[in-house]
Amino acid sequence: MQKIVLLVTLLVIQHAFSQKQEFDIVFKNVNIVSMENDKPLLNQNIAIKNGKIIAIENAKKSKLKAIKTIDLKGKYIMPSLADAHIHLPEKEEDLKRFFELNILHGVTKLRSMRGDWKHLAWKEKYNSKDSQFPKLYLSAPPISRSLEATPEELESFVKKSKESGFKFLKILSIKNQDVFVQLDNLSKKYDIPLAGHFPYLSAGVSIDEELFLKSNFNSLEHLGGLIGDPKFFESRLQAIKKNNIFICPTLTWYSIGSGQYSYDELQKLAGMEYVSIATMQTWLEKTKQYRDKMGEQALKEEVAKELNDLEEKYKVINRLQKEGIKMLLSPDASSKYMMVGSNIISEIELLKKANLSNFEILEMATTNFAQFFNENYGVLKTGNDADFIVLDENPIDNLQTLKNVKGLYFNSFYLSSENLMELKASLLSSSNK
Ligand SMILES: [Zn+2]
């Protein structure tokens, strides 16, 4: 009897031991930028099972074994990136390319800022359990000034938005203060936050400051309410801080929209290599029409004003960072000359002008986003999702290394450098049609 007990015990121990060693994959000899702090862990082995990080060990002492081992000697890994302000393509047939452009640039999380009921079906289809597409966080169909709805209709809209799985109510503009109060109450009642534009009633006229302070906003786009309204700047800043509202600066949109670039420069902006010649021609034609109609002098004045506003935005961003207000990386690639994925780099470069540190900028695309949605990625540590990109250099030393993502692990699949090069080649060749 004793012998049997001993044998069973031994088998259990042996089983537990073999279980412990059987990871799905181990990445060896890699430097880890965990994003817990700005010091990389050099030369580590990282073991993954069922999409989770199970162990991180010093490579020299590590005995982690797995079904598959990949040597990343000399490379760096950091959490994959999130874009907090995207607009999904109008047609489903354009989705795959849209997703692939993000994957190519290491972006595995996308927050959609202009919802549509059809996006719910897209999410179900493209975010299946083992999906190789970025994870979507969806906005309800936007609410604007032109909305005609009775209080009952508004309530059923908010209720349905929450029940359908939308993450927030997107406000574009507000008809009047009564509608805002109704909406804000419903947002609290159904526990679905408000996000979007600062609630101006018309140009320069906002709702009562007290209503904003008590509102259910959890994010604001475009530095709304903080630019060109000096009288309310400090009080709004404090309201944002107190309510833990996250800010999406969307600098790329303003930088490209400012009109500062020549036709030649526009064609060379980041990501334009993925745009077809025909599309580029249409864009240039539209720009030319706009500029010709405006006239040289007026255009010059407009550009000067836009660039001035951008300078103000950099100062505001710097202040927000100093106040400990959380920001999210958010290029807002929603108009011509803009490209999802590539614009992550443009946005990062513009944020440097606000004098943020590289680490602070990377937080915006990783930990801040994870915190915003209360998810366990964004930091590479045991227990968290194994969701990271492979880079040649430490991005905290050199953000430019993000231009060439050399690998991606996410949702239990791995894209090697070769896989990404193939993806890039196919995206480039299909854009030349
Ligand atoms: Zn937008």
Side-chain angles (χ1 to χ4, degrees):
M1 182 65 187
Q2 263 183 347
K3 266 189 183 169
I4 292 172
V5 171
L6 187 67
L7 189 67
V8 170
T9 312
L10 276 172
L11 280 172
V12 168
I13 290 169
Q14 197 183 20
H15 181 69
F17 193 63
S18 65
Q19 279 291 90
K20 206 182 161 216
Q21 291 209 333
E22 281 215 355
F23 303 107
D24 297 335
I25 190 161
V26 168
F27 289 91
K28 280 170 57 184
N29 306 314
V30 68
N31 306 312
I32 302 176
V33 175
S34 72
M35 289 308 292
E36 260 187 318
N37 55 53
D38 61 2
K39 304 273 174 294
L41 291 163
L42 299 177
N43 200 22
Q44 303 286 309
N45 287 0
I46 176 166
I48 294 157
K49 193 175 174 74
N50 298 328
K52 300 270 176 215
I53 299 170
I54 307 296
I56 297 174
E57 293 180 353
N58 184 326
K60 279 187 185 143
K61 296 175 194 158
S62 173
K63 292 191 175 72
L64 298 169
K65 288 201 180 84
I67 301 160
K68 195 172 176 186
T69 303
I70 292 172
D71 194 341
L72 290 178
K73 194 169 171 50
K75 302 279 184 205
Y76 286 79
I77 60 171
M78 70 163 281
S80 64
L81 308 174
D83 184 337
H85 190 129
I86 60 117
H87 293 255
L88 288 167
E90 195 47 46
K91 295 188 217 123
E92 188 181 349
E93 67 205 55
D94 297 327
L95 264 184
K96 190 168 169 273
R97 182 178 178 81
F98 179 88
F99 289 147
E100 285 175 348
L101 280 166
N102 278 291
I103 290 293
L104 182 68
H105 293 87
V107 181
T108 65
K109 315 281 177 272
L110 298 171
R111 176 174 175 249
S112 149
M113 285 312 291
R114 192 167 294 188
D116 192 308
W117 295 107
K118 71 184 174 202
H119 293 171
L120 294 165
W122 290 2
K123 178 161 171 65
E124 195 154 319
K125 185 170 169 185
Y126 296 97
N127 278 176
S128 57
K129 206 173 138 276
D130 46 8
S131 159
Q132 299 198 1
F133 297 118
K135 185 171 176 182
L136 300 174
Y137 299 80
L138 298 177
S139 143
I143 293 155
S144 78
R145 198 165 283 142
S146 61
L147 176 81
E148 298 287 347
T150 63
E152 293 74 27
E153 285 166 343
L154 201 59
E155 173 148 11
S156 93
F157 168 80
V158 172
K159 186 168 182 275
K160 195 175 160 201
S161 295
K162 170 72 182 186
E163 287 169 358
S164 311
F166 286 125
K167 291 282 184 189
F168 58 94
L169 301 171
K170 161 84 188 254
I171 294 187
L172 273 175
S173 57
I174 285 288
K175 183 184 256 168
N176 57 47
Q177 195 147 288
D178 284 349
V179 171
F180 182 78
V181 173
Q182 277 174 46
L183 204 57
D184 188 48
N185 287 337
L186 291 167
S187 155
K188 288 165 184 160
K189 180 174 174 184
Y190 292 100
D191 187 26
I192 176 166
L194 301 177
H197 296 178
F198 189 81
Y200 283 109
L201 298 172
S202 58
V205 183
S206 68
I207 53 161
D208 282 350
E209 294 299 310
E210 195 60 21
L211 284 176
F212 172 66
L213 177 64
K214 288 189 199 147
S215 74
N216 207 27
F217 268 100
N218 77 344
S219 83
L220 278 175
E221 308 305 301
H222 320 303
L223 299 167
L226 296 170
I227 300 292
D229 229 353
K231 198 170 132 205
F232 297 111
F233 180 81
E234 288 301 328
S235 59
R236 285 177 190 163
L237 186 92
Q238 293 313 321
I240 287 165
K241 189 172 173 175
K242 182 171 171 282
N243 294 342
N244 198 19
I245 295 173
F246 283 57
I247 302 292
C248 293
T250 65
L251 291 174
T252 309
W253 195 92
Y254 289 99
S255 174
I256 292 175
S258 68
Q260 64 178 309
Y261 296 115
S262 68
Y263 297 115
D264 194 41
E265 286 168 329
L266 285 170
Q267 293 176 72
K268 288 178 186 151
L269 287 170
M272 289 309 101
E273 62 272 35
Y274 300 105
V275 174
S276 73
I277 294 162
T279 303
M280 180 57 82
Q281 232 107 54
T282 314
W283 287 353
L284 288 168
E285 196 47 48
K286 278 188 184 161
T287 305
K288 198 172 173 326
Q289 276 170 14
Y290 176 82
R291 290 182 180 180
D292 287 352
K293 196 176 165 197
M294 190 169 232
E296 208 174 322
Q297 189 53 32
L299 182 69
K300 223 170 138 183
E301 283 162 24
E302 186 182 78
V303 171
K305 189 200 168 292
E306 292 290 329
L307 293 182
N308 204 37
D309 285 356
L310 260 176
E311 290 301 324
E312 191 183 344
K313 288 189 166 86
Y314 300 145
K315 284 189 196 126
V316 169
I317 288 168
N318 190 275
R319 175 78 194 279
L320 293 174
Q321 184 69 40
K322 287 210 168 80
E323 291 285 342
I325 292 167
K326 295 274 159 64
M327 290 179 279
L328 301 168
L329 200 82
S330 44
D332 192 3
S334 58
S335 65
K336 45 190 192 298
Y337 312 113
M338 299 191 74
M339 196 49 60
V340 289
S342 321
N343 281 151
I344 288 287
I345 303 290
S346 330
E347 190 71 7
I348 282 173
E349 284 167 349
L350 290 167
L351 286 163
K352 280 307 285 179
K353 298 192 181 189
N355 279 326
L356 301 193
S357 73
N358 291 354
F359 185 72
E360 288 164 345
I361 293 171
L362 293 173
E363 280 184 314
M364 290 173 66
T366 55
T367 42
N368 289 6
F369 191 91
Q371 215 180 81
F372 185 69
F373 284 114
N374 195 23
E375 304 236 25
N376 65 340
Y377 54 74
V379 169
L380 299 180
K381 62 176 186 184
T382 53
N384 267 15
D385 291 350
D387 192 334
F388 55 80
I389 52 177
V390 181
L391 301 167
D392 284 330
E393 291 175 60
N394 179 355
I396 298 171
D397 293 339
N398 179 15
L399 289 169
Q400 295 296 323
T401 192
L402 287 163
K403 279 185 177 168
N404 296 298
V405 173
K406 292 293 174 72
L408 174 72
Y409 190 88
F410 133 86
N411 242 0
S412 297
F413 75 93
Y414 180 59
L415 288 178
S416 66
S417 180
E418 289 72 33
N419 296 145
L420 289 171
M421 268 157 63
E422 279 164 27
L423 180 61
K424 184 173 181 170
S426 93
L427 285 166
L428 281 173
S429 74
S430 51
S431 69
N432 288 329
K433 280 175 193 156

